[in-house]
Amino acid sequence: MDSQTSQSSQPPHTFQVDLRGLVDLLSHHLYSSPKVYLRELLQNAVDAITARRAEEPDAPARVRLFAADGRLRVEDSGIGLTEADVHSLLATIGRSSKRAEGLQDVRSDFLGQFGIGLLACFVVAERIRVVSRSARTPDAPPVEWTARDDGSYTVRTLPHEEHPEPGTTVHLVARAGAGEWLTEPRVLTLARDFGSLLPYDVRVGDEAVTDLPAPWNRSYPSPVNRRVALARHCHELFGFTPLDSVELDLPVAGVRGVAYVLPSAVSPAQRGGHRVHLKGMLLTERGEQLLPDWAFFVRCVLDTDSLRPTASRESLYEDETLAAVREALGERIRSWLTGLAAGDPQRLAAFLEVHHLGVKSLARHDEEMLRTMLPWLPFETTDGRLSLEEFAQRHPVVHFTRTVEEYRQVAPIASAQGIGVVNGGYTYDSELVEALPSVRPGTVVAELDADTVTAHLDAVAPADEPALAGFLAAARATLEPLGCDVVLRAFHPLSVPALHLDDRGARHEQARAQAEAQADDLWAGVLGSLRGSAPRARLVLNHLNPLIRRISSLNDPELIGTATESLYGQALLMAQRPLRPADSALLNRAFIGLLEWATHGESAHGEPTEEQGGH
């Protein structure tokens, strides 16, 4: 108890703040670029005018900037400061001008903190001089506050003639190496970039800075004129001509602007840099969290009076308001997509032609996005290029392949048999097909396998089977070492002599057999124990094809074997499957064998020599 009592009786200590260190922290580390100094000056001026107009609605609203010879002067017709205000707002860094007496009712109209904003100017200035006269206390003399980048400052009063009108003038003297930031062309460029939407009369010299109303708030003779004007604005702002523009109008949230649709494909992982104005002042050019992740294909510019800035006022504070605005803006963009689908399918097609890959990428994880875009996303199918919605309406079972090669091989045959197949071999497509039942309940989705295709092919007439038994036996014996069965079916189109079918199980079996052949005794035994009961890859020969009919009538098993190897190799090449060493050797052997038969006739048939086989 005595220890606690003695500790509690000790007087509290006050933090000793190194002002020079604080200046360095704010001006060099809080802000991303020296250019923000001008935004801070404009914000201070705008806040001061807003404060004065809260008391004098008809008060002048002017901001003038003059730059020359490494110096900058910023004059405003705002509320001004008394000597007491200077000590309160400037000498006590961190106290917001919003707390000044009598200004509580207009708190939401202020943009920043006067003192901290001025300190940001030290990133380009070695000396700051503020001369101000209060509009609230007209009899008070003008006051001068002069500060240097070493943290020292002085305060003194001036004769009335030094600053006859209410308002504030800020003088900056450039630090070494920063003079370029205080030249008139640079100041004009920055002022227009930051302040083009400010509601007051802002000029650099004689050049106007503000450009009101904002392009999205202007009236145009027709929708076409509006679209052209917004496209021109987008090109000036972002450097590209948009595919389209989306109006963003949320009066309840105090948000108004436009989203421009990118004309070229971008990665969904690339976060968009949106331009956000806060009460007319540019807050950031990199407002990444403004839109949902799925809306990666637009760049926005908007003005808001409801979103909160972070301490540096270069990004938005993540809170419930921002989350609600983000959701509402996302809904506007969804509505735009829906509107295109209903009223302008050509523009929607042009959009998807560019951004379908990214849209599909996000639709995999965003059920709402998938539901929105499902009727419009194009897929390659056996019925042509269709959306999954339209394809599912036509087919009770939506079959798909996982590779483009499988699709290209089976599509003609499956289509002829009435099997609907989607090519899931392109990026994200198989995942989206598999997700279809989640947004379209009752839809049956199945990967197309060898059994499904074979089951839809017609069997050979029973009367023909006995005559084909010898041919099939020789063909099966030829492909047995390759883990491939041979079946005979009748199917269309007639031009396809043979079809190589397998599924994932068959591919796994082939990979296991290849690994077993290359493994030592121990692992070969382990891998051998995993062998399937039967090879699931199969070569389906088309009995309706004239070539197959001729081959099946041959009596020489060796010639049948060579022909079977050739058909097998041709089917693999048509499927564009990767060839194993055994497949490559088979192709080489079959080619040489056929050359032997073609050039020497049946008397020269037989296995090619080892030397021939190595050609």
Side-chain angles (χ1 to χ4, degrees):
M1 290 290 293
D2 293 339
S3 174
Q4 292 179 352
T5 303
S6 62
Q7 288 180 3
S8 63
S9 63
Q10 293 178 0
H13 297 283
T14 302
F15 281 108
Q16 298 301 309
V17 178
D18 179 358
L19 190 54
R20 178 180 289 190
L22 180 60
V23 167
D24 180 74
L25 175 67
L26 292 174
S27 62
H28 292 91
H29 301 287
L30 181 64
Y31 300 107
S32 62
S33 167
K35 69 181 183 181
V36 299
Y37 88 91
L38 194 68
R39 184 194 63 195
E40 299 297 338
L41 289 174
L42 287 176
Q43 283 186 343
N44 287 338
V46 168
D47 282 351
I49 293 172
T50 302
R52 183 175 181 184
R53 285 206 153 185
E55 300 181 3
E56 304 175 48
D58 296 329
R62 297 187 308 271
V63 181
R64 297 290 184 266
L65 298 92
F66 304 94
D69 302 325
R71 295 171 181 267
L72 175 66
R73 186 172 85 254
V74 181
E75 302 175 354
D76 70 66
S77 58
I79 192 69
L81 302 171
T82 63
E83 184 176 2
D85 293 332
V86 167
H87 285 289
S88 174
L89 299 178
L90 299 181
T92 307
I93 298 301
R95 179 171 298 171
S96 173
S97 59
K98 287 175 279 193
R99 300 192 182 103
E101 183 180 354
L103 302 183
Q104 300 299 317
D105 294 338
V106 292
R107 171 172 297 199
S108 64
D109 294 328
F110 288 89
L111 298 175
Q113 291 183 314
F114 191 74
I116 290 180
L118 269 183
L119 287 185
C121 295
F122 280 121
V123 74
V124 297
E126 67 176 12
R127 183 161 55 92
I128 302 173
R129 177 171 169 255
V130 178
V131 180
S132 186
R133 183 168 182 176
S134 174
R136 188 184 299 116
T137 313
D139 295 335
V143 60
E144 177 191 72
W145 178 85
T146 304
R148 296 185 175 275
D149 58 2
D150 62 0
S152 63
Y153 70 92
T154 60
V155 178
R156 66 188 182 107
T157 57
L158 302 174
H160 285 278
E161 57 269 19
E162 291 268 344
H163 207 286
E165 297 294 328
T168 300
T169 302
V170 179
H171 303 262
L172 300 187
V173 178
R175 65 165 57 244
E180 192 270 339
W181 289 101
L182 272 61
T183 61
E184 184 171 350
R186 175 58 69 92
V187 169
L188 178 60
T189 299
L190 294 178
R192 284 177 171 167
D193 195 35
F194 285 120
S196 61
L197 301 184
L198 289 174
Y200 303 137
D201 178 16
V202 183
R203 296 177 182 272
V204 176
D206 296 327
E207 297 288 336
V209 167
T210 52
D211 184 21
L212 295 176
W216 51 85
N217 285 332
R218 296 173 188 170
S219 298
Y220 297 94
S222 70
V224 173
N225 291 102
R226 181 179 185 83
R227 188 177 302 165
V228 170
L230 290 177
R232 183 167 54 248
H233 174 248
C234 175
H235 193 274
E236 294 171 354
L237 207 59
F238 294 112
F240 65 84
T241 300
L243 284 177
D244 204 353
S245 55
V246 185
E247 301 284 342
L248 303 177
D249 187 8
L250 303 174
V252 175
V255 174
R256 186 79 172 90
V258 62
Y260 294 116
V261 182
L262 292 166
S264 56
V266 294
S267 167
Q270 179 180 332
R271 302 298 297 269
H274 308 296
R275 290 176 63 93
V276 182
H277 295 258
L278 180 60
K279 304 181 183 71
M281 181 73 73
L282 179 66
L283 181 71
T284 178
E285 299 172 279
R286 301 183 300 277
E288 295 179 352
Q289 71 271 51
L290 186 64
L291 293 181
D293 287 342
W294 60 260
F296 63 92
F297 47 81
V298 298
R299 295 292 178 268
C300 291
V301 54
L302 54 80
D303 189 24
T304 175
D305 58 17
S306 64
L307 300 178
R308 291 174 55 197
T310 58
S312 65
R313 296 196 292 281
E314 294 186 277
S315 60
L316 296 170
Y317 186 80
E318 188 67 51
D319 58 10
E320 292 181 0
T321 302
L322 177 57
V325 168
R326 179 165 50 232
E327 183 177 348
L329 292 177
E331 189 56 42
R332 285 298 168 95
I333 295 174
R334 280 198 181 95
S335 298
W336 166 76
L337 287 170
T338 305
L340 281 189
D344 200 341
Q346 287 185 334
R347 284 166 68 195
L348 179 65
F351 164 74
L352 290 177
E353 185 69 27
V354 175
H355 295 294
H356 67 276
L357 189 61
V359 172
K360 286 180 177 181
S361 171
L362 288 175
R364 295 177 302 154
H365 309 296
D366 187 330
E367 187 172 302
E368 189 63 33
M369 184 66 166
L370 178 60
R371 183 177 289 107
T372 299
M373 297 308 298
L374 183 64
W376 316 112
L377 283 173
F379 290 79
E380 185 179 357
T381 78
T382 48
D383 291 357
R385 197 162 177 81
L386 297 176
S387 70
L388 289 182
E389 174 69 28
E390 186 175 357
F391 186 81
Q393 291 174 359
R394 299 184 182 187
H395 298 278
V397 178
V398 177
H399 288 98
F400 70 96
T401 63
R402 291 193 181 274
T403 68
V404 175
E405 294 76 23
E406 286 180 277
Y407 175 81
R408 288 175 179 167
Q409 186 182 23
V410 304
I413 290 87
S415 180
Q417 314 310 312
I419 307 174
V421 184
V422 178
N423 183 357
Y426 295 114
T427 307
Y428 311 130
D429 282 8
S430 62
E431 296 174 72
L432 290 173
V433 176
E434 290 180 296
L436 184 56
S438 68
V439 295
R440 196 178 190 275
T443 304
V444 179
V445 173
E447 182 177 357
L448 187 68
D449 57 23
D451 291 335
T452 302
V453 177
T454 306
H456 280 78
L457 304 180
D458 295 333
V460 177
D464 296 335
E465 288 182 358
L468 298 171
F471 162 68
L472 285 175
R476 285 168 179 158
T478 301
L479 297 186
E480 176 63 29
L482 298 172
C484 182
D485 196 8
V486 178
V487 296
L488 194 63
R489 293 288 187 273
F491 58 86
H492 293 272
L494 302 180
S495 57
V496 178
L499 180 67
H500 182 271
L501 295 176
D502 63 5
D503 51 26
R504 279 180 290 178
R507 289 191 287 274
H508 292 162
E509 172 63 20
Q510 290 174 352
R512 185 210 59 77
Q514 185 173 356
E516 180 183 357
Q518 298 172 354
D520 56 28
D521 292 342
L522 173 62
W523 281 109
V526 172
L527 292 170
S529 68
L530 301 176
R531 183 183 298 115
S533 59
R536 281 168 284 186
R538 66 198 65 175
L539 183 68
V540 183
L541 302 179
N542 187 1
H543 188 53
L544 299 180
N545 180 268
L547 176 61
I548 297 299
R549 286 184 174 274
R550 288 197 295 272
I551 294 174
S552 65
S553 65
L554 295 174
N555 296 319
D556 189 324
E558 289 191 40
L559 182 54
I560 291 174
T562 301
T564 302
E565 289 179 335
S566 301
L567 291 168
Y568 175 82
Q570 186 260 358
L572 282 181
L573 293 175
M574 289 295 294
Q576 300 182 21
R577 298 281 173 79
L579 298 181
R580 299 168 296 166
D583 297 330
S584 299
L586 174 143
L587 281 171
N588 191 31
R589 184 170 62 249
F591 177 70
I592 296 298
L594 289 178
L595 284 180
E596 288 284 347
W597 284 102
T599 55
H600 299 295
E602 291 192 14
S603 62
H605 74 268
E607 287 293 323
T609 65
E610 184 176 345
E611 181 182 357
Q612 290 171 323
H615 287 177

